[in-house]
Amino acid sequence: RVEQRHRLLPARVVVYFTLAMCLWADEGYEEVARLLVGGLQHMARWRGDWQVPSSGALTQARARLGGGVMKMLFERIAS
């Protein structure tokens, strides 16, 4: 998906976040986001400061992304 404006949660980060929710299934949205960005910073894949978004912002970002992106990702990987 292509963003139409610059956001705190770009589409690719929301995809990473959705996948990370599977890894840390017992954690809340905000903690999963914190763990994800901490890992990305450790791997030098994330630069700059970042504030953990609220659970509501993460929910809205997942809704904007939609299920089609995850379906397409699954189909590419599973085939």
Side-chain angles (χ1 to χ4, degrees):
R1 252 181 118 124
V2 178
E3 286 104 11
Q4 295 182 357
R5 61 182 232 201
H6 178 72
R7 296 184 180 270
L8 175 64
L9 291 167
R12 75 175 192 288
V13 174
V14 180
V15 170
Y16 298 155
F17 171 74
T18 303
L19 295 171
M21 288 186 342
C22 297
L23 296 174
W24 294 295
D26 294 336
E27 301 294 340
Y29 273 19
E30 293 174 25
E31 184 61 17
V32 170
R34 188 179 290 97
L35 291 166
L36 172 63
V37 171
L40 291 173
Q41 285 174 331
H42 180 73
M43 295 171 21
R45 300 278 187 220
W46 191 282
R47 294 179 184 89
D49 293 332
W50 189 71
Q51 231 178 345
V52 176
S54 67
S55 294
L58 291 162
T59 299
Q60 289 176 0
R62 289 185 63 212
R64 274 193 312 272
L65 183 69
V69 172
M70 300 309 292
K71 180 180 178 187
M72 184 176 69
L73 178 62
F74 175 79
E75 288 170 351
R76 281 191 182 174
I77 292 172
S79 62

Tab-separated table of all heavy atoms in Angstrom, residues 1 10-22 61-78:
chain	number	residue	atom	x	y	z
A	1	ARG	N	0.836	-1.197	0.000
A	1	ARG	CA	0.000	0.000	0.000
A	1	ARG	C	0.859	1.230	0.000
A	1	ARG	O	1.893	1.258	0.646
A	1	ARG	CB	-0.844	-0.006	1.249
A	1	ARG	CG	-2.258	-0.311	0.880
A	1	ARG	CD	-3.189	-0.325	1.982
A	1	ARG	NE	-4.152	0.706	1.761
A	1	ARG	CZ	-5.433	0.460	1.719
A	1	ARG	NH1	-5.881	-0.749	1.853
A	1	ARG	NH2	-6.268	1.417	1.564
A	10	PRO	N	4.064	4.434	9.152
A	10	PRO	CA	3.967	4.119	7.735
A	10	PRO	C	3.481	2.684	7.530
A	10	PRO	O	3.602	1.834	8.428
A	10	PRO	CB	5.391	4.291	7.214
A	10	PRO	CG	6.235	4.701	8.354
A	10	PRO	CD	5.407	4.727	9.591
A	11	ALA	N	2.949	2.412	6.353
A	11	ALA	CA	2.359	1.096	6.067
A	11	ALA	C	3.327	-0.039	6.344
A	11	ALA	O	2.953	-1.059	6.922
A	11	ALA	CB	1.864	1.048	4.625
A	12	ARG	N	4.588	0.094	5.950
A	12	ARG	CA	5.540	-1.009	6.159
A	12	ARG	C	5.754	-1.294	7.650
A	12	ARG	O	5.903	-2.432	8.054
A	12	ARG	CB	6.853	-0.758	5.434
A	12	ARG	CG	7.747	0.247	6.069
A	12	ARG	CD	9.094	0.368	5.349
A	12	ARG	NE	10.013	1.126	6.127
A	12	ARG	CZ	9.956	2.422	6.313
A	12	ARG	NH1	8.989	3.119	5.771
A	12	ARG	NH2	10.831	3.049	7.065
A	13	VAL	N	5.719	-0.240	8.468
A	13	VAL	CA	5.878	-0.428	9.919
A	13	VAL	C	4.639	-1.118	10.485
A	13	VAL	O	4.752	-1.965	11.374
A	13	VAL	CB	6.157	0.917	10.622
A	13	VAL	CG1	6.166	0.757	12.129
A	13	VAL	CG2	7.472	1.497	10.135
A	14	VAL	N	3.472	-0.807	9.953
A	14	VAL	CA	2.247	-1.456	10.415
A	14	VAL	C	2.270	-2.941	10.046
A	14	VAL	O	1.828	-3.786	10.826
A	14	VAL	CB	0.992	-0.750	9.857
A	14	VAL	CG1	-0.271	-1.441	10.335
A	14	VAL	CG2	0.984	0.715	10.284
A	15	VAL	N	2.835	-3.277	8.884
A	15	VAL	CA	2.996	-4.696	8.522
A	15	VAL	C	3.934	-5.370	9.516
A	15	VAL	O	3.636	-6.448	10.038
A	15	VAL	CB	3.515	-4.859	7.080
A	15	VAL	CG1	3.920	-6.303	6.798
A	15	VAL	CG2	2.457	-4.405	6.084
A	16	TYR	N	5.079	-4.733	9.804
A	16	TYR	CA	6.004	-5.293	10.802
A	16	TYR	C	5.305	-5.451	12.143
A	16	TYR	O	5.469	-6.463	12.830
A	16	TYR	CB	7.229	-4.388	11.005
A	16	TYR	CG	8.114	-4.175	9.813
A	16	TYR	CD1	8.892	-3.031	9.717
A	16	TYR	CD2	8.206	-5.097	8.776
A	16	TYR	CE1	9.731	-2.803	8.637
A	16	TYR	CE2	9.042	-4.876	7.693
A	16	TYR	CZ	9.794	-3.733	7.633
A	16	TYR	OH	10.624	-3.511	6.569
A	17	PHE	N	4.539	-4.438	12.530
A	17	PHE	CA	3.822	-4.480	13.800
A	17	PHE	C	2.843	-5.653	13.838
A	17	PHE	O	2.767	-6.380	14.831
A	17	PHE	CB	3.081	-3.158	14.041
A	17	PHE	CG	2.146	-3.188	15.208
A	17	PHE	CD1	2.638	-3.161	16.503
A	17	PHE	CD2	0.780	-3.272	15.024
A	17	PHE	CE1	1.782	-3.209	17.596
A	17	PHE	CE2	-0.079	-3.319	16.099
A	17	PHE	CZ	0.420	-3.287	17.388
A	18	THR	N	2.096	-5.848	12.759
A	18	THR	CA	1.125	-6.944	12.694
A	18	THR	C	1.821	-8.292	12.831
A	18	THR	O	1.346	-9.174	13.553
A	18	THR	CB	0.325	-6.864	11.380
A	18	THR	OG1	-0.306	-5.574	11.308
A	18	THR	CG2	-0.733	-7.940	11.310
A	19	LEU	N	2.954	-8.449	12.172
A	19	LEU	CA	3.723	-9.694	12.302
A	19	LEU	C	4.293	-9.838	13.721
A	19	LEU	O	4.302	-10.939	14.281
A	19	LEU	CB	4.842	-9.730	11.268
A	19	LEU	CG	4.389	-9.781	9.809
A	19	LEU	CD1	5.580	-9.601	8.879
A	19	LEU	CD2	3.647	-11.073	9.514
A	20	ALA	N	4.749	-8.729	14.288
A	20	ALA	CA	5.314	-8.761	15.642
A	20	ALA	C	4.268	-9.152	16.678
A	20	ALA	O	4.595	-9.763	17.702
A	20	ALA	CB	5.925	-7.404	15.989
A	21	MET	N	2.997	-8.826	16.410
A	21	MET	CA	1.937	-9.217	17.353
A	21	MET	C	1.868	-10.735	17.487
A	21	MET	O	1.487	-11.252	18.529
A	21	MET	CB	0.586	-8.664	16.896
A	21	MET	CG	0.482	-7.180	17.070
A	21	MET	SD	-1.141	-6.452	16.722
A	21	MET	CE	-2.004	-7.632	15.767
A	22	CYS	N	2.258	-11.451	16.439
A	22	CYS	CA	2.285	-12.921	16.510
A	22	CYS	C	3.438	-13.394	17.394
A	22	CYS	O	3.313	-14.397	18.089
A	22	CYS	CB	2.429	-13.522	15.115
A	22	CYS	SG	1.043	-13.142	14.030
A	61	ALA	N	-4.237	2.433	12.482
A	61	ALA	CA	-3.229	2.157	11.458
A	61	ALA	C	-3.455	0.787	10.831
A	61	ALA	O	-3.328	0.625	9.613
A	61	ALA	CB	-1.831	2.245	12.057
A	62	ARG	N	-3.807	-0.186	11.649
A	62	ARG	CA	-4.095	-1.525	11.110
A	62	ARG	C	-5.342	-1.491	10.236
A	62	ARG	O	-5.395	-2.159	9.203
A	62	ARG	CB	-4.269	-2.530	12.240
A	62	ARG	CG	-2.947	-2.847	12.936
A	62	ARG	CD	-3.100	-3.937	13.964
A	62	ARG	NE	-3.506	-5.169	13.310
A	62	ARG	CZ	-4.283	-6.087	13.869
A	62	ARG	NH1	-4.756	-5.902	15.081
A	62	ARG	NH2	-4.594	-7.192	13.229
A	63	ALA	N	-6.335	-0.714	10.613
A	63	ALA	CA	-7.551	-0.592	9.804
A	63	ALA	C	-7.242	0.073	8.460
A	63	ALA	O	-7.759	-0.347	7.426
A	63	ALA	CB	-8.612	0.193	10.561
A	64	ARG	N	-6.375	1.115	8.475
A	64	ARG	CA	-5.981	1.775	7.228
A	64	ARG	C	-5.257	0.807	6.303
A	64	ARG	O	-5.452	0.813	5.095
A	64	ARG	CB	-5.041	2.956	7.508
A	64	ARG	CG	-5.704	4.246	7.818
A	64	ARG	CD	-4.735	5.410	7.762
A	64	ARG	NE	-3.487	5.207	8.476
A	64	ARG	CZ	-3.290	5.476	9.764
A	64	ARG	NH1	-4.278	5.956	10.493
A	64	ARG	NH2	-2.122	5.279	10.321
A	65	LEU	N	-4.407	-0.023	6.893
A	65	LEU	CA	-3.639	-0.987	6.101
A	65	LEU	C	-4.569	-1.984	5.423
A	65	LEU	O	-4.412	-2.303	4.252
A	65	LEU	CB	-2.640	-1.722	6.997
A	65	LEU	CG	-1.720	-2.713	6.304
A	65	LEU	CD1	-0.733	-1.977	5.414
A	65	LEU	CD2	-0.984	-3.549	7.344
A	66	GLY	N	-5.540	-2.465	6.164
A	66	GLY	CA	-6.486	-3.433	5.608
A	66	GLY	C	-5.909	-4.839	5.571
A	66	GLY	O	-4.698	-5.045	5.686
A	67	GLY	N	-6.780	-5.802	5.394
A	67	GLY	CA	-6.362	-7.205	5.386
A	67	GLY	C	-5.753	-7.665	4.075
A	67	GLY	O	-5.051	-8.672	4.030
A	68	GLY	N	-6.006	-6.920	2.996
A	68	GLY	CA	-5.505	-7.325	1.686
A	68	GLY	C	-3.993	-7.395	1.617
A	68	GLY	O	-3.429	-8.260	0.943
A	69	VAL	N	-3.319	-6.489	2.313
A	69	VAL	CA	-1.857	-6.468	2.308
A	69	VAL	C	-1.309	-7.738	2.951
A	69	VAL	O	-0.399	-8.377	2.418
A	69	VAL	CB	-1.326	-5.221	3.043
A	69	VAL	CG1	0.175	-5.277	3.208
A	69	VAL	CG2	-1.743	-3.963	2.308
A	70	MET	N	-1.871	-8.120	4.088
A	70	MET	CA	-1.393	-9.321	4.777
A	70	MET	C	-1.724	-10.570	3.953
A	70	MET	O	-0.931	-11.508	3.905
A	70	MET	CB	-1.986	-9.409	6.183
A	70	MET	CG	-1.633	-8.239	7.082
A	70	MET	SD	0.136	-7.840	7.178
A	70	MET	CE	0.754	-9.255	8.041
A	71	LYS	N	-2.866	-10.575	3.303
A	71	LYS	CA	-3.239	-11.702	2.445
A	71	LYS	C	-2.248	-11.837	1.291
A	71	LYS	O	-1.769	-12.938	0.992
A	71	LYS	CB	-4.656	-11.511	1.912
A	71	LYS	CG	-5.106	-12.640	1.025
A	71	LYS	CD	-6.504	-12.417	0.509
A	71	LYS	CE	-6.875	-13.584	-0.417
A	71	LYS	NZ	-8.117	-13.387	-1.087
A	72	MET	N	-1.908	-10.711	0.661
A	72	MET	CA	-0.957	-10.731	-0.444
A	72	MET	C	0.421	-11.199	0.023
A	72	MET	O	1.079	-11.999	-0.643
A	72	MET	CB	-0.846	-9.343	-1.069
A	72	MET	CG	0.046	-9.303	-2.297
A	72	MET	SD	0.078	-7.682	-3.083
A	72	MET	CE	0.955	-6.742	-1.855
A	73	LEU	N	0.845	-10.721	1.185
A	73	LEU	CA	2.126	-11.142	1.745
A	73	LEU	C	2.131	-12.644	1.994
A	73	LEU	O	3.076	-13.344	1.616
A	73	LEU	CB	2.415	-10.389	3.052
A	73	LEU	CG	3.689	-10.761	3.783
A	73	LEU	CD1	4.912	-10.473	2.922
A	73	LEU	CD2	3.771	-10.005	5.107
A	74	PHE	N	1.066	-13.164	2.584
A	74	PHE	CA	0.965	-14.601	2.838
A	74	PHE	C	1.023	-15.388	1.535
A	74	PHE	O	1.739	-16.390	1.425
A	74	PHE	CB	-0.310	-14.934	3.605
A	74	PHE	CG	-0.511	-16.404	3.784
A	74	PHE	CD1	0.184	-17.087	4.761
A	74	PHE	CD2	-1.361	-17.105	2.951
A	74	PHE	CE1	0.017	-18.466	4.928
A	74	PHE	CE2	-1.527	-18.473	3.097
A	74	PHE	CZ	-0.848	-19.144	4.081
A	75	GLU	N	0.261	-14.939	0.536
A	75	GLU	CA	0.232	-15.662	-0.734
A	75	GLU	C	1.589	-15.679	-1.414
A	75	GLU	O	1.984	-16.686	-1.997
A	75	GLU	CB	-0.825	-15.051	-1.661
A	75	GLU	CG	-2.230	-15.369	-1.198
A	75	GLU	CD	-3.312	-14.599	-1.943
A	75	GLU	OE1	-2.980	-13.677	-2.731
A	75	GLU	OE2	-4.489	-14.924	-1.741
A	76	ARG	N	2.325	-14.588	-1.331
A	76	ARG	CA	3.681	-14.543	-1.923
A	76	ARG	C	4.637	-15.485	-1.209
A	76	ARG	O	5.460	-16.130	-1.829
A	76	ARG	CB	4.240	-13.130	-1.892
A	76	ARG	CG	3.706	-12.267	-2.964
A	76	ARG	CD	4.496	-11.005	-3.035
A	76	ARG	NE	3.954	-10.121	-4.050
A	76	ARG	CZ	4.376	-8.917	-4.255
A	76	ARG	NH1	5.364	-8.409	-3.531
A	76	ARG	NH2	3.840	-8.174	-5.202
A	77	ILE	N	4.535	-15.517	0.101
A	77	ILE	CA	5.467	-16.333	0.872
A	77	ILE	C	5.083	-17.810	0.819
A	77	ILE	O	5.952	-18.680	0.723
A	77	ILE	CB	5.527	-15.836	2.336
A	77	ILE	CG1	6.168	-14.467	2.366
A	77	ILE	CG2	6.298	-16.805	3.220
A	77	ILE	CD1	6.121	-13.779	3.696
A	78	ALA	N	3.798	-18.105	0.840
A	78	ALA	CA	3.329	-19.494	0.913
A	78	ALA	C	3.391	-20.208	-0.438
A	78	ALA	O	3.342	-21.435	-0.480
A	78	ALA	CB	1.905	-19.538	1.455
